[in-house]
Amino acid sequence: MQANIDLQAFNTLATPSRAQWYAPLREAKDFAAAWQFARQHQEPLLVLGGGSNVVLGERLPGLVLHQLCQGREILLEDESSVTVAVAGGENWHQFVHWSISQGWAGLENLALIPGSVGAAPIQNIGAYGAEVGGFIERVLARDLNTGEGLQLSRDECAFGYRDSVFKRDLSDQLLIETVVFKLPRQAEPDVSYPALAAYCAEHGLVSPTPLDVFNAVLAIRTSKLPDPARVPNVGSFFKNPQLTEAELEALLIKFPQLPHYARAAGASVPAAWLIEACGFKTLQSEPVRVHGRHALVVINPDKQSATTVRRFAARIQSAVAERFGILLEQEPRNYG
C-alpha cells in the first residue's frame, strides 16, 4: 500500500489526480492483502484498469486497486472453437492481436480499443458492428464488500449497448480478475458497418479474413482517432443516442440530413454528427476540445483538470439538447 500516489500517468485523459492510497495488483494474492488493509482502515475501494474510460478528479479518497495481473490460458479446444481465460490486467488490443495470430476469429472488429481485458465486459466494448459480450462465456471477479470470489455467466452479465450489470446493479462493487472468452475457429467476418464496408470495397476485399478485417480496423482507427499516448483522450466520450422510430421520424422532419442506422428497437444516431452540427469542431483553440478529425473524441492536450473536462462535456450536452432535444450520455465514468 502506497500513500498519496500520482495517477496522472495512469489515466489516458491525463487529468491531474492523486490517490489517497494505492495498491498495484500484479498477482492474485495481492487482492487479499489490499482488501484487508482497506477493511482495517475503513477505506472505500476503487478499481482502476487501463484508465481509458474514466475522468479522474484531483483527489481520490480511499484505496485505489490497480488491476495489473497478466496471464492467458487455453481451457478447451475443439474443431469449431477455443475457450481461453485472460487475466483482467492484460492489454485489450494485445490480446485481440494475439487471438487473431492464433487463427481464431470474432474479435477482429474490436482491435485497437484502449484499455484492459478486465474493463471490456463492464463497458461491453463495441466497434464497427461488433460487441465483446457476444464472445464472453463467463467473468470471474472479487466482491469488494466481502472479498469473496464469484462467477457470472454471459446471461448474468446482462450485456446491452455499452452496458452491463457491472455498470448498474454491480457498479463499483467488483474487481474483475479473469474473463473467459469462447472464440470461433472459423467465422465469416462482419463488415456491414459502413466505414468497414467502404474500406473493404476500396481495397478489393471481397471475402475478407479475420486478419484482413483486423488490419482494416487498424487503418481506419489510426486515420481518424488520436493515440492517447500522444494526445490525451478516452476515445468516444459520448454514446450514440438510441431513438425509437417515432423519435427518429420527428427529428427527420426538422433535420432531414440527420444520419441514422437501424437497430433492433429503433435507430442509432451518430453523436459525432450532432456535436459537429453544434459547431464544436471549430473550437480548436480551447484547452479542452473535440478532436479535429472526430468530434466524438474529447481531447485534453494541456492536461487540464477533471473539472475543466467535465464543464466542456456539459457544454456539449447542453448545446445538443437545445438544438436536437437529445441528451447525450457520457461514456467515461467520473471519479473524485
Side-chain angles (χ1 to χ4, degrees):
M1 266 43 73
Q2 304 168 42
N4 193 31
I5 295 300
D6 186 354
L7 299 178
Q8 189 170 42
F10 299 149
N11 77 93
T12 64
L13 198 56
T15 57
S17 181
R18 301 193 78 86
Q20 179 183 355
W21 293 99
Y22 170 84
L25 306 182
R26 294 187 172 89
E27 300 180 41
K29 64 182 179 63
D30 293 338
F31 173 79
W35 187 82
Q36 287 291 348
F37 175 90
R39 189 173 186 181
Q40 290 169 5
H41 293 80
Q42 297 185 326
E43 297 287 2
L45 291 169
L46 172 66
V47 176
L48 180 66
S52 61
N53 196 47
V54 292
V55 182
L56 300 185
E58 294 183 11
R59 183 76 175 170
L60 296 186
L63 174 59
V64 172
L65 304 176
H66 198 179
Q67 172 59 292
L68 301 172
C69 292
Q70 304 288 298
R72 306 166 187 163
E73 181 184 1
I74 297 174
L75 303 179
L76 183 66
E77 291 185 87
D78 58 33
E79 294 182 355
S80 62
S81 66
V82 59
T83 302
V84 56
V86 187
E90 287 271 347
N91 176 273
W92 172 257
H93 174 68
Q94 291 176 9
F95 164 58
V96 172
H97 188 193
W98 176 75
S99 73
I100 298 299
S101 70
Q102 301 299 306
W104 310 332
L107 303 180
E108 55 274 3
N109 295 48
L110 306 178
L112 213 59
I113 294 177
S116 62
V117 167
I122 297 175
Q123 186 75 0
N124 187 22
I125 57 173
Y128 302 102
E131 293 181 338
V132 72
F135 302 96
I136 291 177
E137 188 170 80
R138 59 187 181 274
V139 171
L140 283 65
R142 288 281 171 183
D143 189 314
L144 298 182
N145 297 307
T146 66
E148 297 179 354
L150 69 157
Q151 179 173 289
L152 291 90
S153 67
R154 179 187 301 172
D155 288 344
E156 290 172 322
C157 291
F159 292 121
Y161 171 66
R162 304 294 186 272
D163 193 27
S164 71
V165 70
F166 308 109
K167 291 183 69 175
R168 289 179 277 107
D169 297 349
L170 296 178
S171 177
D172 295 325
Q173 295 185 42
L174 302 178
L175 166 74
I176 294 181
E177 293 186 312
T178 304
V179 182
V180 179
F181 299 87
K182 186 172 183 179
L183 303 174
R185 287 191 176 277
Q186 294 183 345
E188 184 176 347
D190 182 356
V191 294
S192 59
Y193 194 85
L196 197 51
Y199 182 95
C200 291
E202 181 182 349
H203 291 79
L205 299 173
V206 179
S207 299
T209 65
L211 180 58
D212 289 332
V213 175
F214 174 85
N215 289 327
V217 170
L218 293 189
I220 296 169
R221 291 185 72 95
T222 54
S223 70
K224 63 180 182 178
L225 298 176
D227 180 355
R230 297 184 178 185
V231 182
N233 74 90
V234 290
S236 298
F237 203 90
F238 299 102
K239 293 182 180 181
N240 288 328
Q242 309 300 295
L243 307 179
T244 65
E245 291 184 6
E247 290 170 334
L248 177 62
E249 289 176 4
L251 271 175
L252 287 174
I253 293 173
K254 290 184 177 180
F255 308 99
Q257 73 277 32
L258 177 70
H260 54 280
Y261 310 101
R263 290 185 67 87
S268 175
V269 173
W273 188 92
L274 302 174
I275 296 168
E276 187 170 353
C278 289
F280 283 93
K281 256 193 177 182
T282 64
L283 304 178
Q284 292 301 305
S285 62
E286 301 208 8
V288 177
R289 53 190 181 270
V290 301
H291 192 252
R293 293 198 301 270
H294 202 309
L296 193 53
V297 179
V298 172
I299 61 174
N300 187 25
D302 298 329
K303 300 182 179 180
Q304 297 290 304
S305 70
T307 299
T308 303
V309 172
R310 291 167 186 166
R311 284 174 179 167
F312 181 73
R315 283 174 55 194
I316 292 176
Q317 289 173 311
S318 178
V320 170
E322 182 177 348
R323 182 167 184 185
F324 297 102
I326 294 174
L327 179 60
L328 293 180
E329 183 179 350
Q330 180 177 316
E331 282 209 41
R333 295 185 291 174
N334 292 319
Y335 294 105

